[in-house]
Amino acid sequence: MVRASAKYGIRLPDRQLCCAPLGSPEAARYLGAMFAAANFAFANRQVMQGVAQRALSRATGRSADDLGARLVYDVCHNIAKFETHEVDGVARKLCVHRKGATRALPPGHPLIPEAYRDLGQPVLVPGDMGRASFLLVGKARAAKETFASTCHGAGRRHSRTAMKRMLKGRDLVREMLEKHGVVVMAHSRDGIIEEMPEAYKNVTEVVDVMERAGISDKVVRRPIETDRLY
């Protein structure tokens, strides 16, 4: 994409904004790969849901139906969608690529299922291993200010490489359990290091900013108690 930007004469304020015109071969290949990845993600989540349901059934001796273990809501992160938005007073069809963001359509938007159209689009914001998660809904200002987008998490404070350097020599599994009551299991120590709470901003503060800006509203916070780590 960096080469494509130069090829089509697109000046970049930042290399991470590299891109190509939608009608170009580069864009066609990119979109095709992204759509394939999105299909895989949907299928993968269905498989994980089935595995989780079976695990719950074995642990409780009850069927998934008895447990009420079912999909409530599914959402994509880091994906491009073709949508219509107002730009300089004119409705235009755009390719909105949300990276580090998620869609937050406002109340009444026709793309929201009728069952909760009058509320705004539900937004799931997961916390890290030591903080809360949130359910939000999109607000009207998001459509005007952010192409109907809000945060999809806290965002990293430190890179993965920096975290490996900072946490060298610490017993992270024991630390999370003894200090914060969090049980951590992973295939590798690096995986734990990369996802430690210190690596991320405080998700509560990020969500609060989105609410004060009129982009999205908080609906539910879990757990309800004060954030464990900060």
Side-chain angles (χ1 to χ4, degrees):
M1 281 297 172
V2 172
R3 290 194 298 270
S5 298
K7 173 182 174 182
Y8 296 108
I10 301 171
R11 298 185 62 182
L12 300 174
D14 188 309
R15 277 173 57 90
Q16 294 190 47
L17 296 176
C18 58
C19 56
L22 284 174
S24 68
E26 292 89 349
R29 289 197 299 271
Y30 178 85
L31 289 173
M34 185 193 66
F35 294 154
N39 287 336
F40 173 84
F42 276 118
N44 193 44
R45 291 200 289 274
Q46 286 183 318
V47 171
M48 289 192 295
Q49 177 185 338
V51 171
Q53 288 172 329
R54 288 197 293 272
L56 287 170
S57 293
R58 286 196 302 270
T60 62
R62 299 168 62 189
S63 70
D65 288 338
D66 289 340
L67 289 170
R70 60 185 179 84
L71 178 67
V72 176
Y73 187 68
D74 197 1
V75 63
C76 290
H77 289 164
N78 301 335
I79 192 170
K81 290 181 178 291
F82 290 91
E83 303 166 355
T84 299
H85 292 275
E86 187 175 302
V87 180
D88 296 329
V90 180
R92 297 181 60 185
K93 185 177 181 181
L94 307 175
C95 180
V96 182
H97 197 163
R98 296 179 176 93
K99 174 66 177 173
T102 191
R103 191 157 72 172
L105 296 170
H109 197 284
L111 290 179
I112 300 177
E114 189 175 348
Y116 45 84
R117 186 174 296 164
D118 60 335
L119 301 175
Q121 182 168 16
V123 176
L124 302 177
V125 180
D128 55 42
M129 293 190 294
R131 300 189 187 92
S133 298
F134 290 86
L135 170 63
L136 317 176
V137 288
K139 295 184 67 177
R141 190 163 184 177
K144 298 179 181 178
E145 300 286 344
T146 64
F147 296 107
S149 307
T150 190
C151 62
H152 84 168
R156 297 193 73 89
R157 173 178 283 156
H158 302 290
S159 70
R160 290 170 171 81
T161 301
M163 289 302 297
K164 291 175 184 177
R165 184 173 61 252
M166 291 167 56
L167 301 181
K168 187 176 181 179
R170 284 168 56 178
D171 186 344
L172 303 177
V173 173
R174 181 176 179 181
E175 185 177 314
M176 289 298 295
L177 180 60
E178 292 184 353
K179 290 186 178 181
H180 311 299
V182 176
V183 177
V184 179
M185 299 177 67
H187 288 294
S188 68
R189 186 174 185 273
D190 282 353
I192 299 174
I193 290 174
E194 293 173 2
E195 300 303 319
M196 286 291 285
E198 292 97 319
Y200 290 92
K201 301 169 188 173
N202 188 331
V203 67
T204 299
E205 294 177 357
V206 174
V207 168
D208 285 347
V209 168
M210 292 294 97
E211 185 169 56
R212 290 198 300 270
I215 303 301
S216 49
D217 266 344
K218 289 181 288 187
V219 178
V220 177
R221 181 185 191 275
R222 289 290 185 270
I224 292 179
E225 67 268 16
T226 303
D227 290 330
R228 293 189 181 96
L229 299 184
Y230 298 94

